[in-house]
């Protein structure tokens, strides 16, 4: 889309004034084992960023005794200065032109409607600047000014409301405003791979304008009516029968719909995908106890793998620890993510005493084998890894930097070396 004419763009009134245009009296405003220490929960996808608005500071310099106040230089005077600079040489001309652009040129902006998908939550009471900051942080627009200028230029720009918007990366300010004004941008809910049901329930509440906890209550009371396959909920200790069945995809969700209908569509999508990859038959090939066990393995792979490159190795770690002859961990999977699921949190550090003493069925440090059910909603890539793990003998893994750098080991001795790297990295943080 075309940028606003240079002479028509009015910077935000709170924007600091360039010292060149200020009066002389104005001052410029200027894992696998306890060494892993990381978890799956990414509950902070849509809506956890802090809003921040630019503040103003600085002080006005006092006049010297006896001096008359100097006249403020206006835009015309600045143009005269720019002309003089042009006459003074190429470098000066470039500098003068740059100052002119700073004041009167269009703000940095992308061109077109962008690509990809980004979900942005606009909190209640957000100003145009606050909205622009959120969009810029998400990579939707190139600058806050591009958004606020487009919002000001649009007749309906001031009608933008709080809520969740599905936008694109690299949008022009004009395109972003137009899409946010389009009801379609507020109807699509994207469930990312690996996210827990708790996050999905909260998103549905927000999209439908319901009281917090409404969708979770519906899921708890009506789960038998939502189309789960017969092999689901095969363990009395499962905390949420729908966990693992709200399949990662995009869904149309808008006010007027019922939570049960939205959940039913998500479960139907999961059934479709699970039939496509033959979860029942593949679970038998992998010698797992049930189809739900395969969904559980995929959910753990999605939870523990911070990068997609290590998914297949993560799957092998699980299968190797499930083998009857496993003497390395004696049948215990020991994943922090399963413990954090049972507590409903995302802890980077969990004390050894705490995790080894909690008898909850989801605690894979305390109990042998898989947890009772899935700990999130795995996506296609996690299933691909669960169906085709590596066969290199991986038994351990450690996020040696406490974040993304996951290293794998085959023996306890190798693991201890990785654990030492993690402890050294942790001490330096």
């Amino acid at each position: 889309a075309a940028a606003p004419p240079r002479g028509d763009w009015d910077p935000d009134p709170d924007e600091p004034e360039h010292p060149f245009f200020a009066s002389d009296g104005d001052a410029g405003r200027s894992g696998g084992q306890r060494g892993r220490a990381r978890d799956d929960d990414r509950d902070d996808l849509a809506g956890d960023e802090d809003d921040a608005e630019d503040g103003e500071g600085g002080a006005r310099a006092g006049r010297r005794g006896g001096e008359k106040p100097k006249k403020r230089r206006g835009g015309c005077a600045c143009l005269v200065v720019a002309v003089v600079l042009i006459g003074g040489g190429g470098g000066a001309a470039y500098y003068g032109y740059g100052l002119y652009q700073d004041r009167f040129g269009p703000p940095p902006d992308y061109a077109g409607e962008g690509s990809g998908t980004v979900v942005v939550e606009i909190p209640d009471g957000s100003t145009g600047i606050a909205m622009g900051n959120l969009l810029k942080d998400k990579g939707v627009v190139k600058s806050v000014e591009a958004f606020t200028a487009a919002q000001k230029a649009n007749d309906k720009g001031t009608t933008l409301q709080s809520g969740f918007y599905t936008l694109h990366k690299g949008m022009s300010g004009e395109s972003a405003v137009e899409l946010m004004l389009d009801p379609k941008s507020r109807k699509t809910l994207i469930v990312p791979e690996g996210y827990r049901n708790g996050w999905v329930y909260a998103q549905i509440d927000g999209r439908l304008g319901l009281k917090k906890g409404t969708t979770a209550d519906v899921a708890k009371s009506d789960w038998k009516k939502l189309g789960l396959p017969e092999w689901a909920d095969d363990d009395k200790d499962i905390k949420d029968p729908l966990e693992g069945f709200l399949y990662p995809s995009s869904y149309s969700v808008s006010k007027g719909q019922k939570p049960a209908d939205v959940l039913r569509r998500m479960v139907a999508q999961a059934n479709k995908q699970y039939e496509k990859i033959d979860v029942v038959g593949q679970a038998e090939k992998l010698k797992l106890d049930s189809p739900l066990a395969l969904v559980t393995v995929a959910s753990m792979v999605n939870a523990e793998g911070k990068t997609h490159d290590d998914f297949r190795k993560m799957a092998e770690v699980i299968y190797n620890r499930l083998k009857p002859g496993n003497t390395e961990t004696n049948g215990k999977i020991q994943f922090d993510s399963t413990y954090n699921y049972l507590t409903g949190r995302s802890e980077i550090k969990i004390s050894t005493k705490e995790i080894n003493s909690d008898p909850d069925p989801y605690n894979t440090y305390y109990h042998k084998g898989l947890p009772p059910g899935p700990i999130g909603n795995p996506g296609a890539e996690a299933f691909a890894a669960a169906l085709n793990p590596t066969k290199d003998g991986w038994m351990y893994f450690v996020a040696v930097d406490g974040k993304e750098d996951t290293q794998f080991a085959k023996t306890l001795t190798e693991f201890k070396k990785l654990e030492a790297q993690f402890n050294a990295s942790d001490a330096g943080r």
Side-chain angles (χ1 to χ4, degrees):
R6 289 164 59 182
D8 293 340
W9 178 60
D10 181 19
D12 192 277
D14 292 332
E15 180 183 348
E17 187 175 27
H18 197 289
F20 182 83
F21 296 92
S23 69
D24 289 347
D26 286 337
R29 295 189 175 104
S30 32
Q33 290 287 79
R34 293 304 312 132
R36 288 191 54 258
R38 63 187 180 77
D39 184 46
D40 64 314
D41 189 23
R42 309 176 183 100
D43 286 345
D44 323 339
L45 171 82
D48 277 86
E49 293 86 350
D50 291 332
D51 297 335
E53 294 191 30
D54 293 337
E56 285 191 343
R60 189 169 297 279
R63 295 173 184 150
R64 296 171 183 165
E67 289 187 359
K68 293 182 180 181
K70 297 182 180 180
K71 293 183 179 180
R72 186 180 183 87
R73 288 192 293 267
C76 292
C78 293
L79 289 177
V80 172
V81 173
V83 171
V84 172
L85 290 173
I86 291 173
Y94 179 82
Y95 181 70
Y97 179 74
L99 293 178
Y100 179 88
Q101 283 288 93
D102 287 344
R103 184 65 178 179
F104 297 104
D109 199 3
Y110 292 122
E113 299 179 355
S115 61
T117 303
V118 183
V119 178
V120 180
E121 180 184 6
I122 303 297
D124 291 336
S126 295
T127 63
I129 295 176
M131 292 182 188
N133 274 311
L134 287 171
L135 297 181
K136 183 175 181 291
D137 290 343
K138 287 283 190 177
V140 175
V141 297
K142 194 169 188 178
S143 67
V144 176
E145 294 80 9
F147 174 78
T148 55
Q151 184 186 25
K152 185 180 297 184
N154 193 301
D155 293 339
K156 298 181 180 180
T158 57
T159 65
L160 289 176
Q161 301 176 356
S162 61
F164 294 88
Y165 293 86
T166 302
L167 306 170
H168 310 297
K169 285 193 173 184
M171 304 184 74
S172 68
E174 180 181 358
S175 295
V177 171
E178 289 179 353
L179 184 55
M180 291 177 72
L181 290 171
D182 188 336
K184 292 181 180 179
S185 70
R186 304 188 67 184
K187 291 182 178 179
T188 303
L189 169 60
I190 297 176
V191 178
E193 296 183 359
Y195 275 51
R196 298 173 182 170
N197 279 7
W199 182 88
V200 181
Y201 297 151
Q203 297 299 307
I204 295 174
D205 285 343
R207 296 300 180 101
L208 301 184
L210 301 174
K211 181 181 177 182
K212 184 178 180 180
T214 299
T215 302
D217 290 341
V218 171
K220 185 176 181 179
S221 62
D222 296 349
W223 65 268
K224 292 183 179 180
K225 306 175 184 177
L226 300 178
L228 288 173
E230 294 181 358
W231 46 265
D233 191 47
D234 64 356
D235 192 304
K236 63 181 179 59
D237 292 319
I238 288 176
K239 296 187 182 298
D240 182 353
L242 294 183
E243 196 74 69
F245 292 92
L246 304 185
Y247 195 80
S249 186
S250 60
Y251 301 91
S252 176
V253 181
S254 58
K255 290 185 178 180
Q257 295 178 333
K258 295 181 179 180
D261 293 335
V262 177
L263 294 174
R264 190 174 290 109
R265 289 203 308 275
M266 293 179 175
V267 172
Q269 181 67 11
N271 289 336
K272 179 181 178 180
Q273 296 300 321
Y274 294 169
E275 288 176 7
K276 184 177 179 180
I277 63 177
D278 187 19
V279 167
V280 175
Q282 293 294 340
E284 292 180 359
K285 289 181 180 180
L286 291 165
K287 298 181 180 180
L288 294 171
D289 293 337
S290 70
L292 187 63
L294 178 54
V295 180
T296 301
V297 169
S299 72
M300 294 169 67
V301 167
N302 230 146
E304 292 286 349
K306 296 302 181 184
T307 62
H308 296 300
D309 293 340
D310 56 31
F311 276 17
R312 291 184 64 213
K313 294 180 180 179
M314 203 75 68
E316 186 189 356
V317 169
I318 296 174
Y319 292 136
N320 283 341
R321 293 188 180 191
L322 288 175
K323 289 179 179 178
N326 166 26
T327 58
E328 291 283 340
T329 63
N330 297 315
K332 293 181 180 180
I333 295 180
Q334 300 175 317
F335 274 22
D336 293 358
S337 54
T338 62
Y339 186 76
N340 280 332
Y341 176 79
L342 77 88
T343 59
R345 64 191 185 189
S346 177
E347 293 293 332
I348 292 180
K349 294 183 180 180
I350 309 170
S351 71
T352 300
K353 180 179 179 181
E354 176 187 3
I355 207 167
N356 285 332
S357 61
D358 192 330
D360 189 285
Y362 280 81
N363 185 358
T364 54
Y365 279 86
Y366 192 94
H367 298 282
K368 295 181 179 181
L370 295 171
I375 59 173
N377 294 287
E381 198 159 8
F383 271 106
L387 295 174
N388 185 31
T390 55
K391 300 184 183 342
D392 299 321
W394 301 120
M395 186 65 72
Y396 303 92
F397 62 91
V398 177
V400 294
D401 64 348
K403 298 178 182 179
E404 305 293 331
D405 185 12
T406 303
Q407 300 291 326
F408 292 81
K410 300 176 182 179
T411 66
L412 183 60
T413 300
E414 293 174 351
F415 164 74
K416 289 296 183 181
K417 293 180 181 179
L418 295 178
E419 187 178 41
Q421 289 184 41
F422 166 77
N423 289 333
S425 175
D426 188 47
R429 287 194 294 272

